[in-house]
Amino acid sequence: MTDHGLPGMSGADLAVACRRRQPELGIVFSSGMIGIPQIDGHQLISDAVLLGKPYDEAGLAMALAQFRKM
């Protein structure tokens, strides 16, 4: 789980780097932004779950439950 805006690199860049190392890793973006950025390697994170801010426990649980369906 990561935000889009991180110091030094974007959350999308972090997610792509993680997926290159562990392709089956589930990715949740927590952000006020809409959609997955079209960065180099974005196809590796096209199935990421987007969790809008602000969110509560129920929203987080629903986002994580989406991985169980995959």
Side-chain angles (χ1 to χ4, degrees), residues 2-69:
T2 186
D3 196 337
H4 278 296
L6 300 174
M9 77 178 343
S10 75
D13 289 325
L14 172 64
V16 167
C18 290
R19 276 280 177 89
R20 284 186 172 137
R21 297 186 83 176
Q22 191 173 353
E24 70 282 356
L25 183 68
I27 305 288
V28 175
F29 287 114
S30 168
S31 182
M33 297 176 65
I34 297 174
I36 296 171
Q38 299 296 301
I39 62 164
D40 183 38
H42 71 275
Q43 68 278 5
L44 294 173
I45 56 173
S46 63
D47 64 341
V49 175
L50 302 175
L51 178 61
K53 288 182 180 179
Y55 59 88
D56 57 15
E57 251 182 77
L60 177 58
M62 286 182 3
L64 296 176
Q66 291 185 43
F67 294 116
R68 292 187 201 116
K69 295 177 186 177

